[in-house]
Amino acid sequence: MLKVKLSKFIIQKMTFFGQILTILILINILTIDLFGSPQIIFGITGATLENNLGILIKWKNYLSHASGLRVKLKFVYSYSELQQQIINKKIDMAYICGSTYINLLRTKHVELLAIPLFHGKPLYDSLVVVRTKSKFKTLYNLRNHPYAYSDPDSSSGALIPQYELRIHGYNPELFFSHIIYTYNNEESINAVLSGYVDGASIDSIIYSAFIKQNPKMAKKLKVIEYFGPYTISPIVIRKTIDKNIKKKLYNALIIMNKTKRGISILDMLTIDKFISPKDINYKKIKKIMSVLQDIR
Amino acid sequence: MRLKTRFFIISLHTKITILIFTVITLFISSTFWIVHKELINSDRKMAQISVTNIIKVNKNFIIQALLENNYWQIYQFVNSLSKLEFINSVGFINTNGKIIAHTNPQKFPIGSVFIWPKSRLNNFFSFPILSSNIPLGKFVIMINLSHIKKFLNKLRDKLMLFIFLEALISFGIGYLISSNIVSKLKILSRNAQRIIEKDWEHIEYMQTVKNDEISKIMYSLEYMVIQVKEMIYQEEQLKIFYHTVLDNIQGLIVVYDSNGTIVYHNNDPLITCLILNNKFVKKFYDSFIETNKTDNILSYKCDGKSIKYLLIKRISFNEYNALTISDVTRLKELEERQCIINSFELVGEISVTLAHEIKNFLQPLKLILFHGTINSKDLERVRFIIEKIDNYVIQFLQTSKSTELDLARKVSINIYIEEILFMLSDLLVNKEIMIEKSIENDLKVFMNPKDIRLILINLIKNAIEASPQNGTIFIGWRKVDSNEGCLTIRDTGTGILPRLQKEIAKPFFTTKKNGTGIGLHSVYKIVYLHRGDIKLNSHSNKTEFLIYLPLKYITRKVK
């Protein structure tokens, strides 16, 4: 009788503890799922890719899937703001221009994550684009004409043409009749097409993508200057981000050209693939920045 | 045909339809016309208001862009504004009048001075941008008025189409409304006709309950129809009843109109000799209808052989006349036989009376003559008795004389009344009797004056004799109708006992001690021979004789 009672008691207790344990395990799993994959904020400006929202979302989803992380896009108006948000850790990784990378490098906030290849090289140009029917043949023909830059901190969109003017003895601030900042490469193209400005500085990758998507526009525009090549805009990541996360993101980017999904995204971005940032430097851009800074 | 007449010939249905159609169409057309005119005149204002509101909504954004010198955003705004169809071009100029951005950079490049175009100045307007009352520049907008006009013209065309559709719809509505009204009026009209024709079975009744004016009229009419139908049914039942009663009455009842056409008769056998082809037989028509008599006893040869006596009474009502014709031939025969019987009886009575009186006188005479010796006194008595007998016989003979009707003429009765009163004045004075008179002086009686005197003297004398001391005798003479007048002699005496009232007309009947019994008999004889009548009203303190005398010529001599 006593034995029976004891065994019943034990079974009851075990059942009870078993239930508690199950609940705890489930909670842990759930919490892991709820807070689960770490979130990565991916910063983008209009100077890079804002107009291609569809492509960006596909890219973001790909990164999330490939890395197993929760990647979230964040659009920022200007490079300076993007820079500030990286410093403030509100953005974890970003697709920036070389000059912004140089600025962030000084403060040691970021490191290179991956480098895109454009036409097989990690290089791109800063183009000067005018209307086909216009009389302009060089940048210098645009003197006293209205001109559009993208972002004031953009290498291809502002600093490189300013540098070119500077080294040819012109004051970039007084060369043109009016300077407007569109903060968006495609908007700069539209400004030229509409006639609001007579010329604009455009990132060659963006220009290539634009022409691909709008082949009829190619007839209305012409490139009169190719300044470069310069080291291409990198993808950077905050130094303080976990190594594993960095590795996952890096791997996701690197293998993009090996997956069907990744290939289609790369094609839309007009990028061949991403490579390791090893052996990449931005000396030329750094030089430009220092020249322009000295003069200022 | 006059226009006014033509208008009234058009049906109510059409009138109502046209009226509703015209009112609605006129109203909508005039509204459209006013609105369209206002819009046409306000095109510039409309465009200005629209653009101004868009700029106001985006004012903060514009101010920020201006403060940040973000000309591209200004250009983007201006560009998007120019997408409005009624805007030709938009630009923004700074406080120095220089262009910051313009949708036509070829004509208005950035940095150039904006010059207001001289032509089409009406199409331009500006909208300043102020921040804390500090001007930052202004938008210069060129409106495409032709676009607005084009839009308004399209609107006008659509509205015209709408008006056309509305006209059709209003016509339809008018038609439906008028159909509804007219259908009810038609029902009213049909029902009225059916009432006239008494076609109760086909009266149309309202099936649905509605509260409009025509429906109320229809309900009232339906109620009236039911009541009228009931009344007519009752009247027809009554008519059938009356006809049944009339059909069962003995005697012919005929109703005819002013043309003499028979409208009703009760099929009495008399129609065979009085009515032919729904009209009176000419002989009867001429003898009675034509003369327009109200009543008469007519002797009529029905089949040309036998005479019928017809009692005819006429009643007139509007243009109709009704005759009741009773065959009184048998009654007449009975009356005549009764008259004969009465005359036999009367003769018997008179003979008995006379014989009795003579016997009364003969009795003492017999005693005297068969007594033996006759002296001078007896001779005196015999002479007296013979005179008395002679007197009776003479009076008897006198009563048997017929009256001289040929000497009748129209005379004033008042003269004879005065004459008789004068004659009897002593008797009046002795008894201090008052005479009251009510005489229609202009009313003349048609009689022999001798007969008038006889009537008056007998009646007035009897009245004086019956009246008490200080009594009153009333004498009246008045018109009864166009044919007769009434002479009234009334006293305040003790009256005549009812059992004696039947006897007073008989000859030799008297209640007076020295009376002859001939006076009243003579009065009755004269009156009846003149086809008059005597009525006697006698009570304990009054005796009244009403003598009905002719005012006109008597048509038939009485035998």
Side-chain angles (χ1 to χ4, degrees):
Chain A
M1 196 66 179
L2 191 64
K3 278 185 184 177
V4 168
K5 276 188 184 175
L6 185 63
S7 58
K8 271 189 184 174
F9 175 75
I10 292 167
I11 290 167
Q12 273 176 2
K13 289 298 173 192
M14 280 178 70
T15 309
F16 175 71
F17 280 119
Q19 282 169 348
I20 298 294
L21 192 61
T22 309
I23 290 165
L24 283 170
I25 291 168
L26 281 172
I27 285 170
N28 279 323
I29 292 169
L30 280 172
T31 49
I32 287 167
D33 278 338
L34 276 173
F35 296 103
S37 336
Q39 184 176 265
I40 294 293
I41 307 294
F42 186 10
I44 299 283
T45 68
T48 42
L49 291 165
E50 190 187 315
N51 283 7
N52 298 308
L53 188 61
I55 302 167
L56 292 170
I57 289 172
K58 283 180 183 175
W59 192 14
K60 179 226 32 166
N61 290 338
Y62 163 80
L63 287 173
S64 298
H65 177 75
S67 64
L69 303 167
R70 283 185 297 125
V71 177
K72 193 175 170 184
L73 282 175
K74 187 166 187 181
F75 294 98
V76 185
Y77 187 61
S78 65
Y79 278 130
S80 65
E81 198 179 328
L82 182 64
Q83 184 178 313
Q84 196 57 46
Q85 293 218 11
I86 290 172
I87 291 168
N88 295 337
K89 298 180 186 177
K90 291 202 174 146
I91 286 175
D92 303 315
M93 70 186 257
Y95 193 9
I96 57 177
C97 71
S99 55
T100 307
Y101 169 65
I102 299 295
N103 287 333
L104 285 166
L105 200 61
R106 286 186 189 139
T107 56
K108 296 178 183 178
H109 278 90
V110 298
E111 62 189 45
L112 295 170
L113 183 64
I115 303 293
L117 283 185
F118 180 63
H119 293 165
K121 296 177 184 173
L123 301 167
Y124 76 130
D125 296 309
S126 171
L127 310 177
V128 175
V129 175
V130 297
R131 290 183 294 281
T132 308
K133 289 181 181 175
S134 69
K135 59 187 179 186
F136 310 110
K137 291 187 189 324
T138 67
L139 174 63
Y140 312 101
N141 296 146
L142 287 159
R143 189 174 185 171
N144 294 325
H145 285 270
Y147 195 81
Y149 293 130
S150 58
D151 191 300
D153 296 317
S154 169
S155 308
S156 58
L159 298 177
I160 293 170
Q162 286 173 2
Y163 171 76
E164 291 293 329
L165 285 170
R166 181 59 68 187
I167 60 174
H168 282 87
Y170 297 106
N171 185 345
E173 289 172 15
L174 301 174
F175 184 78
F176 301 108
S177 65
H178 287 84
I179 294 169
I180 63 158
Y181 291 93
T182 64
Y183 293 90
N184 188 301
N185 274 288
E186 258 195 57
E187 291 297 320
S188 293
I189 295 172
N190 288 332
V192 171
L193 284 169
S194 69
Y196 185 53
V197 296
D198 290 326
S201 287
I202 310 291
D203 177 328
S204 60
I205 300 172
I206 302 296
Y207 186 73
S208 172
F210 178 80
I211 295 298
K212 196 172 179 181
Q213 286 162 24
N214 304 283
K216 288 181 185 176
M217 293 297 148
K219 294 176 188 174
K220 294 184 182 178
L221 295 169
K222 64 180 179 184
V223 180
I224 55 173
E225 296 281 7
Y226 290 86
F227 296 125
Y230 290 92
T231 311
I232 203 165
S233 300
I235 292 180
V236 299
I237 193 164
R238 283 194 294 110
K239 274 188 176 175
T240 54
I241 295 293
D242 184 72
K243 278 184 192 175
N244 288 330
I245 291 171
K246 284 182 197 173
K247 194 171 180 184
K248 283 177 183 175
L249 288 167
Y250 171 76
N251 289 336
L253 286 165
I254 295 302
I255 64 167
M256 263 184 90
N257 63 319
K258 289 174 184 166
T259 65
K260 199 176 174 184
R261 191 173 167 187
I263 290 169
S264 73
I265 294 167
L266 288 169
D267 186 53
M268 283 188 274
L269 292 171
T270 60
I271 292 171
D272 301 335
K273 60 178 180 181
F274 286 96
I275 58 169
S276 166
K278 191 177 168 186
D279 301 327
I280 295 290
N281 69 73
Y282 289 87
K283 287 177 184 172
K284 277 176 88 173
I285 291 176
K286 192 174 178 182
K287 183 187 172 188
I288 286 169
M289 286 172 71
S290 67
V291 166
L292 289 172
Q293 236 168 2
D294 288 342
I295 291 164
R296 282 178 192 153
Chain B
M1 191 185 287
R2 288 169 62 193
L3 192 64
K4 198 177 175 183
T5 312
R6 276 192 189 158
F7 180 71
F8 282 113
I9 289 173
I10 299 170
S11 72
L12 182 65
H13 193 175
T14 307
K15 282 179 200 167
I16 293 174
T17 306
I18 291 171
L19 177 68
I20 293 173
F21 161 76
T22 307
V23 165
I24 295 175
T25 305
L26 272 177
F27 175 73
I28 291 180
S29 301
S30 55
T31 306
F32 156 71
W33 176 252
I34 292 166
V35 167
H36 187 256
K37 203 172 173 191
E38 273 300 308
L39 285 174
I40 292 286
N41 292 338
S42 309
D43 51 1
R44 187 176 187 278
K45 201 172 174 184
M46 278 166 53
Q48 201 169 330
I49 290 169
S50 301
V51 171
T52 306
N53 284 336
I54 293 170
I55 294 170
K56 277 183 185 173
V57 164
N58 292 283
K59 190 178 171 186
N60 290 338
F61 160 78
I62 295 163
I63 289 171
Q64 180 150 351
L66 285 169
L67 293 174
E68 291 173 357
N69 289 326
N70 194 338
Y71 291 177
W72 176 240
Q73 279 191 340
I74 299 293
Y75 174 78
Q76 282 179 311
F77 179 77
V78 152
N79 204 29
S80 61
L81 206 59
S82 72
K83 299 239 183 333
L84 292 170
E85 285 184 357
F86 53 85
I87 291 183
N88 250 343
S89 62
V90 184
F92 189 85
I93 58 176
N94 63 15
T95 49
N96 296 325
K98 288 190 179 173
I99 294 166
I100 301 294
H102 201 280
T103 52
N104 188 0
Q106 282 77 34
K107 199 173 174 184
F108 301 101
I110 185 173
S112 60
V113 175
F114 182 77
I115 298 167
W116 290 89
K118 287 176 186 173
S119 64
R120 297 194 291 167
L121 199 63
N122 193 41
N123 292 358
F124 273 90
F125 76 95
S126 65
F127 185 81
I129 296 293
L130 301 166
S131 176
S132 308
N133 287 328
I134 298 168
L136 298 176
K138 57 185 167 187
F139 286 95
V140 286
I141 301 153
M142 182 178 169
I143 308 166
N144 183 358
L145 287 177
S146 63
H147 178 82
I148 295 175
K149 282 188 169 40
K150 197 176 163 187
F151 165 75
L152 289 174
N153 287 339
K154 275 188 188 172
L155 180 67
R156 179 202 61 202
D157 294 340
K158 283 182 184 170
L159 284 174
M160 295 282 283
L161 178 65
F162 166 73
I163 287 173
F164 174 71
L165 289 171
E166 166 278 322
L168 288 175
I169 292 168
S170 65
F171 190 85
I173 291 169
Y175 184 81
L176 284 172
I177 292 172
S178 63
S179 293
N180 185 266
I181 294 169
V182 168
S183 67
K184 287 180 185 169
L185 292 175
K186 281 184 179 171
I187 292 174
L188 282 172
S189 169
R190 286 198 292 272
N191 280 350
Q193 190 59 35
R194 281 167 191 155
I195 290 168
I196 293 166
E197 293 167 2
K198 293 180 191 171
D199 183 7
W200 309 113
E201 301 304 316
H202 294 105
I203 297 281
E204 294 170 57
Y205 296 98
M206 289 272 285
Q207 299 301 323
T208 54
V209 177
K210 285 180 188 171
N211 216 17
D212 58 61
E213 287 81 352
I214 293 183
S215 297
K216 284 182 182 174
I217 292 171
M218 291 190 74
Y219 293 138
S220 302
L221 184 68
E222 281 172 19
Y223 182 70
M224 186 190 81
V225 162
I226 293 166
Q227 294 297 314
V228 165
K229 182 181 168 184
E230 185 60 30
M231 281 167 57
I232 290 175
Y233 175 74
Q234 295 289 341
E235 284 205 13
E236 283 182 352
Q237 291 299 309
L238 205 59
K239 190 177 165 185
I240 292 168
F241 170 71
Y242 286 141
H243 280 193
T244 309
V245 168
L246 290 172
D247 285 348
N248 287 298
I249 286 176
Q250 248 184 331
L252 176 64
I253 296 171
V254 181
V255 179
Y256 62 97
D257 60 19
S258 54
N259 296 325
T261 305
I262 312 288
V263 296
Y264 169 77
H265 64 78
N266 64 343
N267 279 319
D268 188 86
L270 277 173
I271 59 167
T272 54
C273 65
L274 295 177
I275 292 171
L276 186 66
N277 295 330
N278 224 31
K279 289 231 175 197
F280 287 112
V281 165
K282 192 178 182 308
K283 196 170 73 171
F284 178 71
Y285 190 86
D286 293 340
S287 64
F288 186 81
I289 305 299
E290 192 67 21
T291 56
N292 215 22
K293 292 177 186 168
T294 53
D295 56 54
N296 203 1
I297 293 180
L298 186 69
S299 68
Y300 187 74
K301 273 192 181 173
C302 198
D303 51 6
K305 294 174 190 174
S306 55
I307 295 176
K308 277 191 186 290
Y309 288 96
L310 305 173
L311 176 62
I312 306 169
K313 273 199 166 294
R314 187 212 303 261
I315 305 162
S316 298
F317 182 74
N318 291 337
E319 71 268 24
Y320 291 99
N321 291 286
L323 294 181
T324 57
I325 305 172
S326 304
D327 185 355
V328 295
T329 313
R330 181 74 182 137
L331 275 175
K332 193 75 180 167
E333 287 168 1
L334 288 172
E335 185 195 27
E336 285 178 355
R337 190 163 64 168
Q338 191 61 38
C339 280
I340 294 167
I341 293 169
N342 287 347
S343 66
F344 285 147
E345 286 177 359
L346 192 64
V347 164
E349 281 184 29
I350 293 169
S351 304
V352 163
T353 308
L354 183 65
H356 182 72
E357 292 297 318
I358 293 174
K359 187 182 170 190
N360 287 342
F361 286 115
L362 285 177
Q363 198 63 35
L365 189 64
K366 254 168 86 173
L367 285 172
I368 294 169
L369 291 174
F370 295 118
H371 183 60
T373 57
I374 301 170
N375 56 26
S376 59
K377 271 192 184 175
D378 292 329
L379 279 173
E380 251 338 289
R381 281 168 63 194
V382 168
R383 202 180 287 122
F384 176 77
I385 291 167
I386 290 169
E387 275 179 13
K388 274 278 186 190
I389 293 170
D390 193 36
N391 229 7
Y392 263 92
V393 170
I394 289 167
Q395 281 183 25
F396 178 73
L397 287 172
Q398 274 182 343
T399 59
S400 64
K401 274 187 188 171
S402 66
T403 183
E404 292 165 303
L405 293 173
D406 292 339
L407 298 178
R409 62 179 193 277
K410 280 197 175 181
V411 293
S412 174
I413 202 168
N414 195 35
I415 300 168
Y416 299 102
I417 293 171
E418 293 301 325
E419 187 186 301
I420 299 302
L421 286 174
F422 178 73
M423 274 176 61
L424 299 173
S425 57
D426 287 341
L427 291 173
L428 289 167
V429 168
N430 282 345
K431 275 194 156 181
E432 293 177 354
I433 290 171
M434 282 284 291
I435 298 292
E436 283 179 9
K437 287 193 284 184
S438 175
I439 310 291
E440 287 184 26
N441 290 324
D442 295 333
L443 188 64
K444 289 188 169 43
V445 66
F446 191 83
M447 285 182 83
N448 186 339
K450 190 175 149 192
D451 292 333
I452 296 169
R453 285 197 190 90
L454 200 142
I455 291 168
L456 287 170
I457 195 166
N458 277 296
L459 292 179
I460 295 174
K461 193 177 172 198
N462 283 348
I464 294 170
E465 286 171 355
S467 292
Q469 195 72 19
N470 298 316
T472 307
I473 292 174
F474 171 80
I475 302 171
W477 169 239
R478 63 177 174 85
K479 184 175 180 178
V480 174
D481 57 35
S482 60
N483 294 322
E484 67 184 13
C486 180
L487 174 66
T488 306
I489 313 285
R490 182 166 65 233
D491 65 62
T492 52
T494 55
I496 304 171
L497 294 171
R499 62 178 173 84
L500 300 178
Q501 287 178 20
K502 297 173 196 173
E503 308 295 326
I504 57 172
K506 291 180 182 173
F508 306 114
F509 175 85
T510 181
T511 56
K512 300 176 195 171
K513 192 177 176 184
N514 295 316
T516 59
I518 298 296
L520 275 180
H521 170 75
S522 300
V523 168
Y524 271 87
K525 188 178 108 180
I526 290 166
V527 170
Y528 282 122
L529 283 175
H530 282 81
R531 304 184 77 79
D533 199 6
I534 299 180
K535 283 192 170 54
L536 171 62
N537 299 322
S538 189
H539 306 291
S540 57
N541 57 354
K542 182 186 93 172
T543 297
E544 181 183 69
F545 279 92
L546 298 166
I547 317 295
Y548 294 92
L549 298 172
L551 302 177
K552 291 179 184 175
Y553 176 69
I554 303 163
T555 54
R556 190 164 65 90
K557 236 187 201 180
V558 178
K559 291 182 182 172

